[in-house]
């Protein structure tokens, strides 16, 4: 249940236009605690970090002020302009948010129309690696009011002619920020945000969202950058969990071999995998929707195949007359290496009840709306307490609903880890997060991109004006970099050492095969790109992930460019 507003507490919906306020009450009822606490600072245009459990409407808390302003308050701009930027760590989450925004947009527009009030429906665009080239070109010509993207795609936008469309951005929403803070990917995004601020026509309002961020002060520092104030909104509440650890065998020390020994088959080592798929099949058949998390793609594919094979064997054994019939597909694997069309198809099938289970990696860990999930199962202990909270929280993804979960250990030592994680999840002891300091490889990558497409190139030229030559002052670049929290302590000597490397000043002949990427005019103290620098920056977007991801496509299909 949503906690009721206390006597004397001001109505948070009074911050919005009457149309927005009435739509919210009729469609959603009373605001959640996260919304009540988050809306005032967001409405005051303060950068805000919002901590709240899964399913409490954090994303709508961040977006509603933006929708209210764009639809009912701000006049229509003379030319198309982007105002709100939403950044998601996952492409699937970006698509999910775009789909969910259609509901408030349609509801507010319908109510305003019925009351005879003027309004404007904001346009929404998605820019990820899956976006067709035609849509990318359309955004350059006709920027959307709301742009939904990923950290890597933001970097590419800033390093291209599309950067000019981002100058009018006033609000940036970073979802699931806890997944970015301690990584090189987060440091990369922090520099991209500073590049965005350098071209923006006004100071950016930054809004960070997550359910498992600790400590809040460190995450706020990452969000705001050096010396920028961030309002922290702590709407944390104990997540109600019905979580247990289940061992599908009587004794983990006495496991049956995977394949029994025979005259022509050698004895294979004992494994718990002979017991896990049958137990999972029982659980899946008892429920309408089950989400099963594993820690790698191979296990996801393996388990999905095993569950479906067991279902087929069960059909044939119970109905001999239907030996030729095929059992319906019960489970499908979902991971980040699947093509976008397949991921979307699997998510839709689970929501519509066409399949009973999805076996997923971290591709569904974050706040994707998977509909009503009855149970979440974790095979092997999760990578962290935060990951466990995110995953189990997919079940009962609504305010006040208990999240049902089961953790299956794979071996004896894993049983201890599962028990420890389960206790920490019940007590809400999420691991502390620390900002990664001064990753110089990320810095070098971003410097090449900035020098190839410096901030002044994003400013539209006056008709007839000669094209500007790319250049940037060393002092201006150093200031820009130091505004990003991961590089706030970067020394001038370390910064100039990176510039030396990129400009071709190497410590020995062993580096002679490296090609310089920029030119450093030490007399004028400015940087210019060498030939091919921009292409190199675009072809090498993002950072190297901590795990291998390989594309998987159906036979006969081709990946879109």
């Amino acid at each position: 249940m949503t906690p009721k507003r206390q006597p004397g507490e001001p109505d948070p919906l009074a911050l919005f236009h009457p149309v927005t306020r009435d739509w919210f009450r009729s469609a959603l009822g009373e605001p959640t605690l996260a919304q009540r606490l988050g809306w005032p600072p967001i409405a005051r245009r303060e950068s805000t970090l919002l901590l709240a459990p899964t399913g409490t409407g954090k994303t709508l808390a961040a977006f509603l002020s933006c929708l209210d302003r764009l639809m009912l308050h701000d006049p229509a701009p003379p030319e198309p302009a982007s105002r709100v930027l939403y950044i998601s760590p996952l492409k699937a989450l970006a698509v999910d948010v775009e789909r969910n925004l259609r509901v408030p947009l349609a509801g507010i527009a319908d109510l305003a129309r019925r009351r005879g009030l003027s309004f404007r429906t904001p346009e929404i665009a998605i820019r990820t690696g899956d976006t067709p080239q035609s849509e990318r070109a359309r955004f350059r010509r006709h920027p959307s009011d709301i742009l939904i993207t990923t950290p890597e795609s933001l970097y590419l936008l800033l390093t291209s002619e599309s950067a000019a469309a981002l100058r009018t951005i006033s609000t940036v929403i970073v979802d699931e920020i806890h997944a970015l803070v301690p990584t090189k990917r987060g440091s990369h995004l922090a520099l991209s945000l500073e590049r965005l601020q350098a071209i923006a026509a006004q100071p950016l309002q930054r809004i960070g969202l997550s359910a498992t961020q600790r400590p809040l002060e460190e995450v706020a520092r990452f969000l705001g950058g050096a010396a920028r104030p961030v309002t922290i909104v702590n709407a944390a509440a104990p997540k109600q969990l019905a979580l247990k650890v289940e061992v599908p065998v009587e004794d983990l020390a006495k496991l049956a071999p995977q394949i029994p020994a025979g005259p022509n088959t050698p004895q294979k080592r004992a494994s718990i995998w002979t017991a896990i798929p049958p137990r999972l099949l029982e659980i899946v058949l008892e429920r309408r929707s089950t989400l099963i998390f594993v820690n790698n793609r191979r296990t996801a594919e393996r388990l999905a195949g095993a569950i479906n094979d067991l279902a087929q064997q069960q059909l044939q054994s119970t109905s001999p007359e239907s030996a030729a019939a095929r059992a319906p597909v019960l489970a499908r694997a979902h991971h980040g290496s699947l093509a976008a069309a397949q991921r979307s198809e699997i998510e839709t099938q689970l929501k519509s009840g066409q399949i009973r289970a999805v076996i997923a990696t971290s591709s569904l860990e974050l706040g994707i709306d998977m509909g009503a999930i009855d149970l979440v199962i974790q095979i092997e202990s999760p990578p962290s307490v935060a990951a466990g909270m995110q995953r189990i929280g997919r079940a009962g993804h609504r305010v006040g609903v208990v999240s049902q979960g089961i953790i299956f250990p794979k071996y004896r030592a894993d049983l201890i880890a599962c028990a420890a994680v389960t206790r920490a999840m019940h007590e809400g002891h999420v691991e502390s997060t620390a900002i990664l300091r001064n990753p110089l490889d990320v810095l070098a990558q971003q410097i090449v991109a900035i020098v190839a497409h410096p901030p002044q190139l994003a400013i539209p030229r006056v008709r007839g004006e000669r094209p500007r030559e790319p250049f940037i002052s060393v002092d201006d670049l150093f200031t820009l970099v130091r505004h990003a929290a991961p590089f706030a302590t970067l020394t001038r000597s370390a910064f100039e050492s990176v510039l030396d490397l990129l400009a071709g000043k190497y410590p020995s002949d062993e580096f002679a095969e490296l090609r310089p990427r920029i030119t450093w005019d030490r007399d004028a103290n400015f940087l210019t790109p060498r030939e091919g620098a921009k292409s190199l920056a675009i072809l090498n977007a993002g950072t190297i992930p901590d795990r291998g991801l390989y594309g998987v496509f159906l036979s006969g299909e081709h990946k879109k460019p």
Side-chain angles (χ1 to χ4, degrees), residues 220-423:
R221 193 176 301 113
F222 172 87
L223 176 65
R228 292 194 188 97
V230 174
T231 301
I232 296 175
V233 175
N234 188 348
K239 179 63 178 176
Q240 298 181 16
L241 300 174
L243 181 61
K244 65 178 182 178
V245 178
E246 180 175 324
V247 181
V249 295
E250 292 186 3
D251 190 345
L252 281 170
K254 299 178 181 179
L255 299 175
Q258 287 182 299
I259 300 178
N264 300 316
T265 56
Q267 178 86 12
K268 284 202 172 184
R269 65 180 180 84
S271 172
I272 199 172
W273 285 112
T274 57
I276 287 181
R279 177 58 183 142
L280 292 180
L281 178 60
E282 292 178 12
I283 294 173
V284 167
L285 292 176
E286 292 171 354
R287 291 166 176 81
R288 294 172 300 173
S289 57
T290 304
L291 191 54
I292 302 172
F293 279 104
V294 294
N295 291 340
N296 59 72
R297 187 196 69 186
R298 178 176 179 270
T299 305
E301 298 282 359
R302 179 182 179 184
L303 269 184
I307 290 173
N308 291 325
D309 289 344
L310 285 173
Q312 179 66 30
Q313 294 171 16
Q314 190 177 88
L315 174 65
Q316 294 176 351
S317 62
T318 55
S319 303
E321 68 279 3
S322 305
R326 290 294 303 172
V329 174
L330 291 179
R332 293 192 64 180
H334 185 292
H335 45 77
S337 297
L338 290 177
Q342 283 185 269
R343 293 196 306 269
S344 178
E345 176 187 347
I346 293 169
E347 293 163 17
T348 301
Q349 286 181 336
L350 183 65
K351 292 178 182 180
S352 62
Q354 297 177 36
I355 54 175
R356 304 280 285 274
V358 166
I359 294 87
T361 59
S362 57
S363 60
L364 288 180
E365 175 182 306
L366 302 182
I368 298 173
D369 179 16
M370 289 305 298
I373 301 295
D374 296 330
L375 177 72
V376 171
I377 297 174
Q378 168 70 42
I379 307 297
E380 192 176 10
S381 60
S384 64
V385 177
M389 294 289 288
Q390 290 283 346
R391 295 178 178 187
I392 302 300
R394 298 300 100 209
H397 194 232
R398 298 186 303 279
V399 180
V401 177
V402 177
S403 294
Q404 304 278 343
I406 302 175
I407 300 180
F408 283 89
K410 287 172 55 178
Y411 45 89
R412 283 184 289 177
D414 189 38
L415 175 59
I416 300 173
C418 290
V421 169
T422 300
R423 179 174 180 177

Side-chain angles (χ1 to χ4, degrees), residues 459-498:
I459 301 174
R461 291 185 291 115
V462 178
R463 181 172 296 181
E465 182 183 354
R466 293 180 58 187
R468 301 179 180 89
E469 294 296 329
F471 76 93
I472 189 170
S473 159
V474 172
D475 293 334
D476 290 345
L477 179 59
F478 184 59
T479 300
L480 184 152
V481 167
R482 292 253 302 185
H483 280 158
F487 299 94
T489 59
L490 182 71
T491 63
R492 183 75 182 212
S493 61
F495 172 72
E496 293 187 354
S497 294
V498 175

Side-chain angles (χ1 to χ4, degrees), residues 537-554:
I538 291 174
L539 291 173
N540 295 275
T543 56
I544 299 174
D546 59 358
R547 65 187 70 182
L549 299 176
Y550 304 91
V552 178
F553 308 98
L554 293 177

